[in-house]
Each structure stands twice: as C-alpha cells, then as structure tokens.
Amino acid sequence: MPTKSDPPPGATVHSTRHGPVTLVTLARPRRRNAVDPSTARALYHAMLAFEADADARVAVLAGSGDAFCAGFDLACVADGSAEQWLEQLHFGERGEPPLGPMGPTRLRLSKPVIAAIAGPAVAGGMELALWCDLRVMAEDAWMGVLCRRWGVPLIDGGTVRLPRLVGAGRALDLILTGRRIDAAESLAMGLCERVVPPGNAVAAALALAESLAGAPQLCLRGDRDSARYGAFPDEMAALQAEFHAGLDALRSEATAGAQRFIAGAGRHGAPQEESS
C-alpha cells in the first residue's frame, strides 16, 4: 500500500511512497501544472528528499489532472516576478545542490527518475521530462518547445539534453519550429521509451520503476551513471552556457511574449500571428 505524509494545505508538490518507489506529483491542475517559483523549489526539495532516502530506489515524476507540465508559469514572466527567481538560481557554487529554473533540473541524482507523461509536457515541462532517465507517455500525450512562439528560451537543459536523446537534426527541428510532437512520433525518434493507453501513464511508470527497484542497485546505478554522464563530463558547463545565452531573450522577448499569452493568445498550442 502506498504511504505518504499529508502535504501542507496548498502544497503544489506531493510525494507518495510505493515501497521502494517514490511518486512525486505536481499539483497545480488549474494551471496545467505550470511551475511557479514556489513550486520549483518544492519540486527541488522533493527530489533531494528522494535522493537522501536510503529506502527509495526509483522515483516517478507525474502531473495531476490532464497535464504533465505546461512549463514555467508565464504569469510570473509577464508580471516581472520571475526576475527575482532568476537571481536565486545557481550551479552549486553556493555550497548547496544546484537549483534550476524548474527546480531539480541541474541536479545529478544517483538514482533513476521516470517521467509519467499524460497530456502536454511542453516548454519547461518538456525540459523536466528530458531531465528524467526514462519517459512513459500516454497515447494522447504530447511534447513541444511551445515557448518558441513567446520568445521564451530553453534555459533548463533543453538544448543540452534533447540533441543527446534524438540527434542534432531532430532536436533542431523541434527547437526551431516549436511544433507539437505526439506520443507515436516521440517513441519513433527516441524521445520517449514507452507509449501506453490513455490514463495508464502513471501506473505503467510505477510498474517500470518497481522492476528497476528489484534489480541489483549498485550495478544498475553504476551503469546508469556511466551511460548518462560518462561521455559528457562537462554537462554542467553546457547547462551554464545555455542558461547565460538565454538570459537576454528571457528579459526582453519573453516578457512581451508572456504578456500576449496571459492575454489569451495561442492557448493550448493554437497558432498565433507574430507581431510586426
């Protein structure tokens, strides 16, 4: 039986233990689980707690309601409050684990994390999924760099991790066009590893996590670490370069784009005309 401690009222991240598996759930369904600064920090601490728990072997990251994650909450970009959050981010130079815009996306955990994707995983939500080791998608789920249309850059590992998963050409197609990509195409190009019937993403991810938790852990973690990081010892340097390259856009084009989005343009991936 799953076990959990009751989250405080209004908590936007919930953690539940299923034996050796920790299910971490984004809980802002009315915002399609878009991440604001407080949610990012809560998700960061949830993943650090998973890492520190000796009895937890695998984590599953999911979203509540009908979305995995719609990215960073553009309301915070539109009103300028994201700037204060940017000043709190770091790459580990402050003597604590590195903190990214979406929370845990600069962490290098020693244990696997599986994304259970239902509905959209877009913009920063797609970057969260890319940070995970494996991705399980429902047939009606989808991804995309939808932030392209709003002038919001990828500053949370998207330009670093996506080419490593699907190759440079496919990554550039997704990054430059910002187009929507469904589960079947995601599976075909290697962007996800499992596609399951609608409504089954979390159950399938938990089952996969339980199978990983049953393997010899020292061997599994060593091979995982070598496969993920062995060929790319400078991943943190790449993440830093991506972040700093995107800051000018985030502070200019992104603010205007976020304001258009908040005003109602281009919701749910609908096309929108570019301003002249």
Side-chain angles (χ1 to χ4, degrees):
M1 293 292 291
T3 60
K4 65 177 180 179
S5 57
D6 291 333
T12 56
V13 175
H14 300 166
S15 292
T16 308
R17 279 286 301 276
H18 297 250
V21 177
T22 299
L23 173 62
V24 179
T25 305
L26 291 167
R28 296 188 81 208
R30 293 184 179 179
R31 301 292 296 171
R32 309 200 92 187
N33 300 315
V35 170
D36 62 2
S38 64
T39 302
R41 190 171 286 281
L43 184 58
Y44 167 80
H45 285 296
M47 287 302 177
L48 287 177
F50 158 68
E51 175 74 359
D53 186 346
D55 295 324
R57 294 186 167 191
V58 185
V60 171
L61 176 61
S64 58
D66 62 355
F68 176 74
C69 176
F72 192 78
D73 194 335
L74 290 187
C76 300
V77 180
D79 66 15
S81 61
E83 186 66 26
Q84 184 179 5
W85 176 237
L86 288 175
E87 294 173 357
Q88 299 177 48
L89 307 179
H90 59 91
F91 289 91
E93 66 274 12
R94 299 180 184 178
E96 58 184 4
L99 174 65
M102 297 289 288
T105 38
R106 294 174 183 171
L107 295 177
R108 182 179 286 194
L109 302 185
S110 67
K111 299 180 282 191
V113 181
I114 300 171
I117 303 172
V122 298
M126 184 174 176
E127 290 182 292
L128 269 180
L130 294 174
W131 172 74
C132 296
D133 296 88
L134 300 171
R135 286 145 293 278
V136 175
M137 294 183 72
E139 290 173 350
D140 54 355
W142 52 284
M143 295 199 221
V145 187
L146 265 62
C147 50
R148 174 61 55 243
R149 67 190 64 196
W150 310 115
V152 177
L154 295 173
I155 58 171
D156 228 353
T159 69
V160 177
R161 296 180 175 119
L162 185 59
R164 296 175 183 177
L165 278 176
V166 303
R170 285 172 169 167
L172 284 169
D173 172 33
L174 298 180
I175 290 169
L176 296 178
T177 67
R179 68 182 180 87
R180 171 173 168 159
I181 175 173
D182 63 20
E185 186 179 1
S186 295
L187 181 65
M189 72 165 57
L191 186 53
C192 74
E193 289 70 45
R194 307 279 193 282
V195 173
V196 298
N200 288 352
V202 172
L206 288 172
L208 177 57
E210 288 170 3
S211 71
L212 299 185
Q217 292 298 293
L218 186 62
C219 177
L220 179 142
R221 293 178 192 178
D223 286 350
R224 167 193 174 270
D225 192 67
S226 180
R228 282 209 66 173
Y229 308 120
F232 305 102
D234 259 343
E235 183 185 55
M236 190 60 72
L239 292 173
Q240 289 176 324
E242 175 199 62
F243 179 71
H244 291 300
L247 280 180
D248 285 344
L250 191 64
R251 288 168 170 157
S252 56
E253 290 179 335
T255 300
Q259 289 168 347
R260 295 199 309 275
F261 176 83
I262 295 302
R267 292 299 181 91
H268 310 306
Q272 57 100 32
E273 294 183 0
E274 295 292 335
S275 58
S276 57

